[in-house]
Amino acid sequence: LNYLLPADAAFPPRAVCEQHGLHELCDMLERVVAPRREALVAVSNKNIFHMLQLYIDGVKRAKVTNALVVALDDETHAWLSEREFPSYVRKVKARGGSTDNHATSGLKFRILREFMLVGCSVLLSDVDVAWMRDPFPALYGDADVEGMTDGFDDISSYGAPGSGVLGAPAWRIFARNSGMFYLSATNESLRMMERMTHRMATESIWDQTAYNEEQFYLTTDTYQVRRRATCAPRRPFARCTRPIGHTPPHPSRAPVARAPAATRRFRACRGWASRSA
């Protein structure tokens, strides 16, 4: 992989931190992440404390020591500080100013771009993920983006020939989920995050749609990508022997009962994480 930061370089790179005004991020990485150069990162605001509580409980229980939350407001940062969970404030707003879950989700790419700039790889996690064990030993680390697919078998996960509009040949594949993925700190990952940041700021589009398009769209005269990021989908972890169980998100239904129930279920059968919303 084409990493941004050489293996023997100081981390975090203070000159880069100074250049881009990322002092808070670099201070946090120095305390929580170094020398591993990778972090479990969630982005949250004050609207979802009930979900955030379940999330940090799982991370602490799983003994993931290189985890932090990027707080989008002072209230969230204060709430996390009271619970002694690492966080720093990054006040960014979605296009249109909305603070609902989809709008907030689209902000993560701008934040991830900053992690890439300072050479920190990220396992991005939505706060509706309940972690059971440290996930980092399970990662392959063989691609710029290592992500979760919504597919349920090989055909739906990796694709197969099918038919499209009016019977035209097509390649049918289930979406790659933008709620959890590992992003290696490479030049290609940085460029992908820059494109995603621009699209979230200028287009009215669901972040997961754009996330998939950036992986599948081919370079054309009007859409050119030099050195596209390599993206490796991983099968969903629905069985007890797999790291994660994923249920479709329903923002109107707080996972106060569902997430703990799923957590108990997967811990009992030695799973790693359960996703419920």
Side-chain angles (χ1 to χ4, degrees):
L1 298 179
N2 186 20
Y3 286 100
L4 283 153
L5 197 64
D8 58 353
F11 178 85
R14 285 296 171 178
V16 178
C17 302
E18 181 75 26
Q19 178 185 355
H20 296 280
L22 301 175
H23 306 289
E24 279 194 89
L25 170 59
C26 290
D27 289 346
M28 177 61 63
L29 296 180
E30 194 167 43
R31 294 196 305 270
V32 177
V33 175
R36 293 180 61 170
R37 299 190 182 191
E38 60 182 4
L40 174 62
V41 176
V43 179
S44 184
N45 61 19
K46 61 185 178 181
N47 295 343
I48 50 173
F49 283 160
H50 57 287
M51 296 171 64
L52 190 54
Q53 183 68 64
L54 294 170
Y55 174 80
I56 65 174
D57 286 348
V59 172
K60 288 180 177 180
R61 191 184 303 114
K63 296 180 172 61
V64 183
T65 58
N66 57 329
L68 62 98
V69 172
V70 181
L72 297 176
D73 47 62
D74 293 326
E75 292 88 344
T76 302
H77 178 59
W79 187 91
L80 288 161
S81 296
E82 291 174 359
R83 289 155 179 79
E84 299 182 340
F85 197 89
S87 70
Y88 75 98
V89 179
R90 184 67 173 93
K91 294 182 180 180
V92 290
K93 291 186 177 181
R95 180 175 181 267
S98 176
T99 60
D100 65 18
N101 69 314
H102 279 302
T104 301
S105 181
L107 295 172
K108 62 193 173 194
F109 301 102
R110 179 175 176 179
I111 294 168
L112 290 173
R113 172 185 173 274
E114 297 171 352
F115 278 84
M116 297 298 101
L117 284 170
V118 299
C120 183
S121 299
V122 173
L123 177 56
L124 185 281
S125 174
D126 280 354
V127 297
D128 58 1
V129 175
W131 294 99
M132 310 298 173
R133 302 179 188 174
D134 185 343
F136 288 96
L139 296 172
Y140 287 80
D142 59 351
D144 300 299
V145 182
E146 186 175 339
M148 178 178 65
T149 169
D150 284 346
F152 52 87
D153 57 17
D154 284 347
I155 292 177
S156 57
S157 298
Y158 306 115
S163 58
V165 179
L166 301 178
W171 188 262
R172 300 183 64 86
I173 189 170
F174 273 52
R176 295 175 182 178
N177 197 293
S178 63
M180 186 172 64
F181 56 88
Y182 183 75
L183 199 64
S184 294
T186 64
N187 284 278
E188 289 72 23
S189 294
L190 173 59
R191 281 195 288 270
M192 181 178 176
M193 293 303 101
E194 288 175 338
R195 293 195 303 274
M196 287 296 300
T197 298
H198 175 73
R199 295 191 65 181
M200 292 299 100
T202 59
E203 300 178 29
S204 180
I205 187 172
W206 182 26
D207 67 277
Q208 182 162 294
T209 299
Y211 172 76
N212 277 263
E213 289 176 349
E214 288 300 320
Q215 296 180 50
F216 288 108
Y217 274 10
L218 300 177
T219 296
T220 66
D221 290 340
T222 56
Y223 183 84
Q224 298 189 15
V225 179
R226 184 173 63 86
R227 292 199 59 140
R228 181 185 298 278
T230 58
C231 303
R234 303 302 181 202
R235 283 282 300 277
F237 306 113
R239 299 179 182 176
C240 291
T241 55
R242 304 289 179 84
I244 184 174
H246 179 205
T247 58
H250 298 283
S252 62
R253 304 176 189 174
V256 174
R258 297 177 64 197
T263 299
R264 290 191 296 271
R265 162 67 176 169
F266 276 80
R267 187 182 298 117
C269 58
R270 298 179 182 180
W272 285 34
S274 171
R275 187 158 191 236
S276 180

